[in-house]
Amino acid sequence: MESFQMAKDNTPLSLTQNFIVPESNRPQLSKVSTLDSIPIIDLSTPSQFLLDKITQACEEYGFFHIINHGVPQNLCKRMLTAISDLFKLPHQERSKLFSSDHNKEARILNYYLKCQNQEKVTMWSESFNHVWDPNGDFFTLLPENPPHYRETFVEYAKEIDKLMGTLFGLISQSLGLEKNCLQRKLGEKPRLKAQANFYPPCPDPELTLGLSVHTDLPALTVLMQSDEVSGLQVIKDGKWIDVKPVPHSFVINLGDQLQVLSNGRYKSVHHRAVTNKMLGRISVAMFYGPNINTWIGPIEELVDEEHPAVYRRYKFSEFLDEFARQEGTRRRVKEAFQISYDHGICSSSTP
């Protein structure tokens, strides 16, 4: 367990050897493009223009900002404050939330990168992971301190649930499908997870990562990040681009299940979090995915002779098993379920 205490005077913490990633994994920040960025989509724009913008963003980036999204600005500010206060708790109190048990429904953890020699390099961050639902049934799982975290997150979850419904409807329509298609395919009792992240100031951001390169395994992610500092970066055309914060916006990114459901048309792309010397950064990601018993595969309407199925059908529990098997690596989970076509004969890429 690695624990960061948010310094009162913003003094950088010590970058010890267990945080330094191998040279091949270092972020090379000087090569990151600041000229390009992900699209900004105004949800209040006329419908067909809006759908065209979503189509382009999902095909070319897999990421986009949304503005005029309907979630109250005051609530967003209170949510970020509650997260900041959580990570400001004294180490003794915060450490009670640390756990390596993957089945625990609320825990603080450190992510890590597994190197070729099987040693683990800890990421320069802490994450508080817990379940969420629009009814507030997760209330008692959350810590009593800070006292406003529980109430604020329950209110926030209700708003994000409504926003998720809007986004799934728009993305379904942008694929030429019925408005409720994606949520119907993802099934009842969806797997809803939240992840609040804290990235402390780092003495040498070139030597470590806040979160290693990954894709999101669920279907859709709604991310809110603090306005003061950037840290999220995504791959575009083989190059890293910086996702600068846009005031009063959310970052939306497509997960692996949506790429599979769209038969590869829409992209779940690799992204990472980097650090900086001067400012701590916080963010909160809300994930929506299928439950473990849901069958996932390309939607039938998106498969034809010109667009054969790219992935085989699987139960989501099988996807999670493969995800766990690749823990600590640069995961390529959905690739394990691709169908290969050889001389007209199709075969799965997994046994």
Side-chain angles (χ1 to χ4, degrees):
M1 180 188 83
E2 301 288 348
S3 180
F4 298 99
Q5 180 61 52
M6 187 177 280
K8 295 273 193 282
D9 59 357
N10 221 20
T11 302
L13 300 160
S14 174
L15 184 66
T16 52
Q17 188 64 37
N18 55 315
F19 291 107
I20 298 176
V21 300
E23 192 169 350
S24 59
N25 298 99
R26 292 176 189 172
Q28 298 181 319
L29 297 176
S30 62
K31 296 183 179 180
V32 175
S33 172
T34 56
L35 300 176
D36 195 6
S37 190
I38 63 175
I40 300 174
I41 296 179
D42 186 342
L43 293 190
S44 67
T45 54
S47 57
Q48 189 53 55
F49 179 76
L50 177 59
L51 293 178
D52 290 344
K53 294 283 286 184
I54 289 175
T55 299
Q56 182 182 14
C58 292
E59 289 181 342
E60 296 182 13
Y61 289 84
F63 272 79
F64 52 94
H65 289 284
I66 56 169
I67 57 175
N68 292 321
H69 44 68
V71 181
Q73 181 182 340
N74 177 263
L75 174 59
C76 293
K77 287 182 178 179
R78 286 191 286 121
M79 189 70 261
L80 289 173
T81 298
I83 293 169
S84 178
D85 290 346
L86 174 77
F87 288 112
K88 286 179 182 176
L89 290 173
H91 168 69
Q92 186 175 3
E93 187 167 359
R94 212 166 72 260
S95 63
K96 297 175 185 176
L97 298 170
F98 270 89
S99 176
S100 58
D101 182 358
H102 291 265
N103 296 315
K104 196 167 183 179
E105 293 184 302
R107 65 184 180 122
I108 289 180
L109 69 152
N110 299 114
Y111 287 102
Y112 66 88
L113 178 68
K114 189 186 295 182
C115 304
Q116 288 185 342
N117 58 8
Q118 296 301 302
E119 289 184 4
K120 296 179 180 179
V121 177
T122 304
M123 298 293 94
W124 192 262
S125 62
E126 281 181 357
S127 296
F128 180 43
N129 289 11
H130 59 79
V131 297
W132 68 276
D133 66 73
N135 302 315
D137 295 339
F138 62 101
F139 182 88
T140 56
L141 296 171
L142 302 182
E144 294 181 359
N145 282 322
H148 50 291
Y149 188 92
R150 285 179 163 187
E151 292 81 1
T152 305
F153 215 106
V154 168
E155 187 179 350
Y156 185 70
K158 290 178 182 178
E159 292 291 337
I160 295 301
D161 181 67
K162 289 188 289 186
L163 179 59
M164 289 273 195
T166 298
L167 290 167
F168 276 123
L170 291 169
I171 295 170
S172 293
Q173 291 176 298
S174 74
L175 285 165
L177 305 168
E178 293 182 0
K179 192 173 183 178
N180 67 345
C181 182
L182 283 173
Q183 281 190 290
R184 191 176 71 247
K185 293 294 183 181
L186 289 165
E188 299 179 353
K189 298 180 180 179
R191 194 170 187 262
L192 305 176
K193 300 282 188 177
Q195 180 170 304
N197 303 301
F198 167 48
Y199 307 93
C202 179
D204 195 338
E206 289 282 2
L207 298 181
T208 190
L209 289 165
L211 287 177
S212 62
V213 181
H214 66 285
T215 61
D216 289 352
L217 75 96
L220 195 66
T221 304
V222 175
L223 176 81
M224 179 170 60
Q225 56 182 342
S226 50
D227 291 339
E228 296 83 11
V229 58
S230 61
L232 174 64
Q233 298 179 347
V234 304
I235 283 282
K236 175 70 167 66
D237 299 328
K239 297 180 180 179
W240 288 105
I241 62 173
D242 192 36
V243 180
K244 286 182 168 44
V246 173
H248 317 315
S249 76
F250 289 109
V251 175
I252 309 303
N253 74 280
L254 311 186
D256 292 346
Q257 308 317 305
L258 211 151
Q259 177 164 331
V260 172
L261 288 166
S262 71
N263 198 31
R265 179 177 169 185
Y266 286 177
K267 307 303 180 188
S268 170
V269 303
H270 282 95
H271 52 286
R272 67 186 183 187
V274 298
T275 62
N276 76 94
K277 286 185 177 183
M278 301 304 297
L279 295 172
R281 175 175 171 262
I282 56 173
S283 67
V284 56
M286 305 288 276
F287 303 106
Y288 186 115
N291 70 57
I292 60 173
N293 295 312
T294 301
W295 284 90
I296 298 293
I299 295 172
E300 294 83 354
E301 294 93 321
L302 303 178
V303 177
D304 55 33
E305 288 187 4
E306 292 185 8
H307 307 92
V310 177
Y311 303 95
R312 68 173 177 86
R313 278 171 51 83
Y314 53 83
K315 191 177 281 192
F316 188 57
S317 58
E318 188 181 354
F319 196 93
L320 291 176
D321 289 343
E322 179 64 24
F323 181 84
R325 191 184 68 79
Q326 297 185 26
E327 185 174 10
T329 67
R330 181 167 177 171
R331 286 183 169 108
R332 299 182 183 277
V333 184
K334 58 186 175 295
E335 288 81 355
F337 297 89
Q338 285 183 339
I339 297 173
S340 60
Y341 291 88
D342 187 15
H343 302 295
I345 302 174
C346 70
S347 61
S348 171
S349 59
T350 55

